[in-house]
Amino acid sequence: MDADPTIETRYDDAGQRQLLRDATLLADRVALAIETDRPDFAREYAEWTAAVYRRLRTPMDDLVRLCEGLRSALPSVLTPGELTLADPPIDAAIAAYRWHRRIAGDARKKNAFLQFLYKGG
């Protein structure tokens, strides 16, 4: 939330709590991926939550920022050797959210010029 202060204005208290709860669950998935050396656990979690957040009209960019926030918080709890193991699961989750971002209907801010061209004036 420090990286994007507009999150606090776009989400009510319940929405912010849900984002933070999912950040905790994503951290658990990253820990499981580090433990088993399988980054698929974080990617699968991202796939599962992307559908829910699309229904709630949450931009996938917010979830990518959530992953980056998790990455920036990890040095306080992981050793430098473990940090290198945390990057592949987080990158896999970010890749999944970015893939879902490209699907039509994402709640991100649209390019006004491209919207004008698609609508035909």
Side-chain angles (χ1 to χ4, degrees):
M1 290 186 176
D2 291 339
D4 186 8
T6 63
I7 288 179
E8 293 178 5
T9 60
R10 288 186 283 128
Y11 296 100
D12 60 354
D13 287 339
Q16 289 177 22
R17 281 195 307 272
Q18 184 175 7
L19 282 174
L20 292 176
R21 183 204 63 204
D22 286 341
T24 304
L25 294 173
L26 180 62
D28 290 342
R29 283 300 187 146
V30 169
L32 184 62
I34 291 171
E35 179 182 345
T36 60
D37 197 26
R38 291 185 50 206
D40 293 342
F41 288 120
R43 183 191 51 78
E44 288 172 354
Y45 179 77
E47 291 288 340
W48 298 332
T49 57
V52 173
Y53 277 115
R54 285 182 62 79
R55 204 169 339 128
L56 295 172
R57 303 207 36 86
T58 300
M60 295 294 120
D61 289 340
D62 288 351
L63 300 173
V64 169
R65 286 187 197 100
L66 192 73
C67 291
E68 291 297 342
L70 177 63
R71 186 191 315 260
S72 67
L74 286 177
S76 65
V77 293
L78 296 178
T79 65
E82 292 170 332
L83 281 175
T84 59
L85 297 173
D87 283 336
I90 293 174
D91 291 338
I94 289 173
Y97 286 135
R98 284 194 176 141
W99 187 87
H100 283 281
R101 180 184 183 267
R102 70 179 184 83
I103 297 174
D106 188 34
R108 71 181 182 274
K109 187 175 180 177
K110 309 288 192 262
N111 183 320
F113 181 70
L114 291 178
Q115 292 296 84
F116 174 77
L117 289 178
Y118 289 138
K119 290 183 181 177

